[in-house]
Amino acid sequence: HMPARHRSMRAVLSQSWHYLAPDERQVFRRLAVFEGGFRLAAATAVAGAPLPVLAALAGKSMLHLAPDGRYRTHDLLRQFAAEQLAALPAELAGCRARHAAYFMDFLAERKGELTGPGQMAARREIGDEIDNIRAAWSYLAGQGQLPTQNALRALFRFLWMCGRYQEGAYMAAQALEGVDPAR
C-alpha cells in the first residue's frame, strides 16, 4: 500500500509524462541511464537526443541546463523515466551498452592529457563525469567485460592522482569479479 503523498506524486509524474510528445518520451526515458547529469554530446551519442528535443524537455521543466553546460534532471523524474525504460528491455540494453562505450571512450581519449599540460582540465572533465563512469564501469563488470587498456589506465591514473585508492581497489575487484579466467 502506497502512502497518499507518493500516489499524488506518481500522478503528477504520470501526467507530466503524458504531456510529452512521443519523441520527447523516448529521449527522456533513454536519458535515465545517465548518473549525475550529462552534456549534449553524450546525450546525442547515448540517447539519440537532438538538441531541439533537449530544449523542449528543458522548456517543460523535465531537464535543467546548468551554466556549466550540463543537463540535469530531478531524481524523481529520473526514477520515473528509468521505470519507463526498464519496461523496454531491448531499449534499456542498447542504451546501457552505448552509455558504457561512450564513457570508456571518453576516458581513453583523456589518457594522454592526464600526464601532459592539459592535466588539470582532464581531471576536471573526468571528475564531472565520474558518476557516469562508475555506472558504465559497473555495467561492463556485470557483462563480464573489461574496458580497453587506455580507458583502464586513464581511470586508474585519475583515481591515483586524486588519492582515491580505495575506490580504485573496489573498481578493480568489481571488474575482475565478472571476468572468466578461461577466456
Side-chain angles (χ1 to χ4, degrees):
H1 188 262
M2 200 184 294
R5 71 178 183 279
H6 290 178
R7 281 194 308 270
S8 62
M9 180 53 71
R10 188 155 228 16
V12 168
L13 292 171
S14 192
Q15 189 173 20
S16 297
W17 178 256
H18 289 292
Y19 283 130
L20 299 179
D23 60 335
E24 293 168 348
R25 273 189 220 147
Q26 181 186 54
V27 165
F28 193 67
R29 74 174 169 257
R30 289 177 175 181
L31 294 174
V33 297
F34 289 100
E35 300 276 345
F38 53 88
R39 294 193 176 282
L40 174 61
T44 302
V46 173
L51 183 56
V53 172
L54 292 175
L57 289 168
K60 294 176 180 180
S61 300
M62 301 298 280
L63 291 177
H64 170 70
L65 178 57
D68 67 358
R70 291 180 67 76
Y71 288 89
R72 292 184 174 77
T73 188
H74 190 281
D75 282 342
L76 286 175
L77 287 168
R78 191 181 158 283
Q79 279 179 338
F80 187 83
E83 289 172 16
Q84 304 304 311
L85 185 59
L88 301 165
E91 189 172 333
L92 173 61
C95 285
R96 293 201 66 201
R98 286 189 303 275
H99 180 271
Y102 180 87
F103 284 102
M104 291 305 108
D105 288 348
F106 174 90
L107 275 172
E109 290 165 8
R110 283 151 185 80
K111 180 185 153 260
E113 295 170 27
L114 284 170
T115 55
Q119 182 180 114
M120 294 309 288
R123 277 180 64 176
R124 190 170 40 258
E125 289 172 351
I126 293 170
D128 286 349
E129 297 296 354
I130 197 67
D131 291 335
N132 281 309
I133 290 165
R134 279 190 204 107
W137 185 272
S138 182
Y139 170 78
L140 288 174
Q143 300 296 306
Q145 299 174 25
L146 284 175
T148 64
Q149 275 197 0
N150 284 338
L152 280 167
R153 287 188 174 136
L155 177 61
F156 288 107
R157 180 170 287 145
F158 168 80
L159 293 172
W160 176 79
M161 291 168 85
C162 297
R164 292 158 81 163
Y165 312 115
Q166 296 258 180
E167 186 173 2
Y170 171 77
M171 290 176 89
Q174 184 184 29
L176 293 174
E177 194 175 287
V179 176
D180 179 0
R183 283 200 322 200

